[in-house]
Amino acid sequence: MPLNGLPHARGKQLLIDAALRLAVETRSIRSIGVRELGREAGLNPNTFYRHFRTMDDLGLALLDQIVQELRLPLQELRRKAASSVLLNGGSKKNLSPVILGLEKAKAMTREMVASFFDFVELNSSAFIVGVSELHGSSPILRSALHNTLLDFSKDLADDASLLELFPCFSRDKLDEISCLIIWHFFHLTTRYIEQTVERRKIRLGAEKFMLTLIGGNLLIEAERTADLSSISDVLRAAPAHHGDFSGANLNG
């Protein structure tokens, strides 16, 4: 047992938890001082150096913990939403692949946006720190977060492929769409957390962005395959969700 009477793992966890609390206020892990961190954690400042060499090392440990806490729950919420869409779409199998994809997209956007922003409200500190460090002063943390968002994007594309949500899309197209959705949603989180009166508007904007992105690519796919009937169907069906796409406010 360490000299301060705390088990090694518990001391490290106290420092990580304290760093998260302080980083929410400062918006920068690097700006936290060792003495300030020790005081917040209730530990001798020298305890820091038993666990970490630099603040970047602590930041990586904190980000790793945040990812572990967010990644699986978000995947479970997303798969639950997708399963609901597939279950409710069973009676529409006679539709063309493109228009069926649009019907799935409409339901998927509602389910995914609702579950994502509900999750953001419950984990606001993690998202505030994540967004801040993505544009922060540490190249090490910026790179780690960039790779994390790519991993989250891959998770989304994997689920769409596994569940065959949009069989008319290639894997490359699923990767492209998933990446755009994850990055856009991630950057909306700070505004969503801070501007409580705007939350409904932000959710609707996120739905419009996601549906426009998927719907537009479905139109491109229909044109590529010369499926003129599907193009006509998509143009008729698309405005029914939130109004004409041309008037969508993609910033919420």
mmCIF file of all heavy atoms in Angstrom, residues 17 40 71 79 81 83 123 140 147 168 184 189 203 243 245:
data_model
loop_
_atom_site.group_PDB
_atom_site.id
_atom_site.type_symbol
_atom_site.label_atom_id
_atom_site.label_comp_id
_atom_site.label_asym_id
_atom_site.label_seq_id
_atom_site.Cartn_x
_atom_site.Cartn_y
_atom_site.Cartn_z
ATOM 1 N N ASP A 17 -10.550 11.432 -11.884
ATOM 2 C CA ASP A 17 -11.854 12.040 -11.594
ATOM 3 C C ASP A 17 -11.713 13.534 -11.326
ATOM 4 O O ASP A 17 -12.534 14.348 -11.771
ATOM 5 C CB ASP A 17 -12.500 11.353 -10.397
ATOM 6 C CG ASP A 17 -12.897 9.912 -10.681
ATOM 7 O OD1 ASP A 17 -12.977 9.551 -11.877
ATOM 8 O OD2 ASP A 17 -13.122 9.157 -9.717
ATOM 9 N N GLU A 40 -7.672 19.064 -5.477
ATOM 10 C CA GLU A 40 -9.015 18.642 -5.894
ATOM 11 C C GLU A 40 -9.242 17.164 -5.608
ATOM 12 O O GLU A 40 -10.343 16.747 -5.232
ATOM 13 C CB GLU A 40 -9.207 18.910 -7.387
ATOM 14 C CG GLU A 40 -10.548 18.477 -7.954
ATOM 15 C CD GLU A 40 -11.717 19.309 -7.459
ATOM 16 O OE1 GLU A 40 -11.491 20.462 -7.032
ATOM 17 O OE2 GLU A 40 -12.860 18.809 -7.512
ATOM 18 N N ARG A 71 -18.509 4.383 -25.423
ATOM 19 C CA ARG A 71 -18.561 3.660 -26.695
ATOM 20 C C ARG A 71 -19.592 2.540 -26.694
ATOM 21 O O ARG A 71 -20.449 2.467 -27.590
ATOM 22 C CB ARG A 71 -17.178 3.099 -27.029
ATOM 23 C CG ARG A 71 -17.067 2.587 -28.456
ATOM 24 C CD ARG A 71 -15.630 2.250 -28.803
ATOM 25 N NE ARG A 71 -15.466 1.858 -30.185
ATOM 26 C CZ ARG A 71 -14.302 1.558 -30.742
ATOM 27 N NH1 ARG A 71 -13.197 1.634 -30.021
ATOM 28 N NH2 ARG A 71 -14.245 1.199 -32.023
ATOM 29 N N ARG A 79 -27.962 0.396 -31.799
ATOM 30 C CA ARG A 79 -28.472 -0.887 -32.301
ATOM 31 C C ARG A 79 -29.927 -1.099 -31.899
ATOM 32 O O ARG A 79 -30.709 -1.690 -32.651
ATOM 33 C CB ARG A 79 -27.588 -2.021 -31.789
ATOM 34 C CG ARG A 79 -26.229 -2.055 -32.462
ATOM 35 C CD ARG A 79 -25.397 -3.253 -32.066
ATOM 36 N NE ARG A 79 -24.156 -3.311 -32.825
ATOM 37 C CZ ARG A 79 -23.276 -4.288 -32.722
ATOM 38 N NH1 ARG A 79 -23.482 -5.291 -31.892
ATOM 39 N NH2 ARG A 79 -22.167 -4.263 -33.445
ATOM 40 N N ALA A 81 -32.091 1.310 -31.571
ATOM 41 C CA ALA A 81 -32.845 2.158 -32.492
ATOM 42 C C ALA A 81 -32.961 1.506 -33.857
ATOM 43 O O ALA A 81 -34.030 1.490 -34.473
ATOM 44 C CB ALA A 81 -32.170 3.525 -32.612
ATOM 45 N N SER A 83 -32.755 -1.703 -34.597
ATOM 46 C CA SER A 83 -33.607 -2.889 -34.512
ATOM 47 C C SER A 83 -35.070 -2.501 -34.533
ATOM 48 O O SER A 83 -35.906 -3.172 -35.141
ATOM 49 C CB SER A 83 -33.290 -3.667 -33.237
ATOM 50 O OG SER A 83 -31.967 -4.147 -33.253
ATOM 51 N N ASN A 123 -24.128 12.581 -19.641
ATOM 52 C CA ASN A 123 -22.664 12.504 -19.624
ATOM 53 C C ASN A 123 -22.063 13.819 -20.125
ATOM 54 O O ASN A 123 -21.106 13.822 -20.894
ATOM 55 C CB ASN A 123 -22.192 11.344 -20.500
ATOM 56 C CG ASN A 123 -22.702 10.001 -20.009
ATOM 57 O OD1 ASN A 123 -22.095 9.356 -19.165
ATOM 58 N ND2 ASN A 123 -23.836 9.573 -20.552
ATOM 59 N N ILE A 140 -1.021 15.720 -28.848
ATOM 60 C CA ILE A 140 -1.196 14.321 -28.455
ATOM 61 C C ILE A 140 -2.674 14.028 -28.198
ATOM 62 O O ILE A 140 -3.223 13.023 -28.672
ATOM 63 C CB ILE A 140 -0.361 14.000 -27.206
ATOM 64 C CG1 ILE A 140 1.132 14.079 -27.537
ATOM 65 C CG2 ILE A 140 -0.708 12.623 -26.647
ATOM 66 C CD1 ILE A 140 2.044 13.924 -26.336
ATOM 67 N N ASN A 147 -8.655 10.100 -33.587
ATOM 68 C CA ASN A 147 -8.738 8.655 -33.795
ATOM 69 C C ASN A 147 -9.975 8.055 -33.123
ATOM 70 O O ASN A 147 -10.581 7.109 -33.642
ATOM 71 C CB ASN A 147 -7.479 7.972 -33.264
ATOM 72 C CG ASN A 147 -6.252 8.277 -34.108
ATOM 73 O OD1 ASN A 147 -6.366 8.549 -35.308
ATOM 74 N ND2 ASN A 147 -5.081 8.273 -33.492
ATOM 75 N N CYS A 168 -28.174 -0.609 -50.398
ATOM 76 C CA CYS A 168 -27.781 -0.023 -51.681
ATOM 77 C C CYS A 168 -26.497 0.795 -51.568
ATOM 78 O O CYS A 168 -25.934 1.195 -52.587
ATOM 79 C CB CYS A 168 -28.910 0.847 -52.246
ATOM 80 S SG CYS A 168 -29.399 2.219 -51.183
ATOM 81 N N HIS A 184 -20.389 15.769 -36.964
ATOM 82 C CA HIS A 184 -21.389 16.829 -36.813
ATOM 83 C C HIS A 184 -22.070 16.741 -35.447
ATOM 84 O O HIS A 184 -22.192 17.758 -34.742
ATOM 85 C CB HIS A 184 -22.425 16.721 -37.929
ATOM 86 C CG HIS A 184 -23.437 17.828 -37.910
ATOM 87 N ND1 HIS A 184 -23.125 19.126 -38.230
ATOM 88 C CD2 HIS A 184 -24.759 17.825 -37.593
ATOM 89 C CE1 HIS A 184 -24.208 19.886 -38.115
ATOM 90 N NE2 HIS A 184 -25.210 19.120 -37.731
ATOM 91 N N THR A 189 -22.555 18.956 -29.399
ATOM 92 C CA THR A 189 -22.820 18.613 -28.001
ATOM 93 C C THR A 189 -22.599 19.774 -27.031
ATOM 94 O O THR A 189 -23.397 19.974 -26.116
ATOM 95 C CB THR A 189 -21.959 17.410 -27.561
ATOM 96 O OG1 THR A 189 -20.567 17.697 -27.789
ATOM 97 C CG2 THR A 189 -22.346 16.166 -28.331
ATOM 98 N N ARG A 203 -31.885 19.443 -31.668
ATOM 99 C CA ARG A 203 -32.252 18.063 -32.015
ATOM 100 C C ARG A 203 -32.877 18.005 -33.409
ATOM 101 O O ARG A 203 -32.546 17.130 -34.215
ATOM 102 C CB ARG A 203 -33.223 17.496 -30.979
ATOM 103 C CG ARG A 203 -32.577 17.157 -29.636
ATOM 104 C CD ARG A 203 -33.548 16.392 -28.768
ATOM 105 N NE ARG A 203 -33.002 16.094 -27.452
ATOM 106 C CZ ARG A 203 -33.181 14.952 -26.801
ATOM 107 N NH1 ARG A 203 -33.897 13.978 -27.359
ATOM 108 N NH2 ARG A 203 -32.659 14.751 -25.606
ATOM 109 N N GLY A 243 -40.125 19.287 -43.764
ATOM 110 C CA GLY A 243 -40.204 20.339 -44.754
ATOM 111 C C GLY A 243 -39.170 20.134 -45.837
ATOM 112 O O GLY A 243 -38.348 19.247 -45.793
ATOM 113 N N PHE A 245 -36.041 19.986 -48.018
ATOM 114 C CA PHE A 245 -34.628 19.923 -47.649
ATOM 115 C C PHE A 245 -33.918 21.243 -47.932
ATOM 116 O O PHE A 245 -33.004 21.614 -47.237
ATOM 117 C CB PHE A 245 -33.919 18.813 -48.429
ATOM 118 C CG PHE A 245 -34.200 17.446 -47.900
ATOM 119 C CD1 PHE A 245 -34.042 16.327 -48.716
ATOM 120 C CD2 PHE A 245 -34.622 17.260 -46.608
ATOM 121 C CE1 PHE A 245 -34.288 15.067 -48.235
ATOM 122 C CE2 PHE A 245 -34.874 15.992 -46.116
ATOM 123 C CZ PHE A 245 -34.714 14.899 -46.931
#
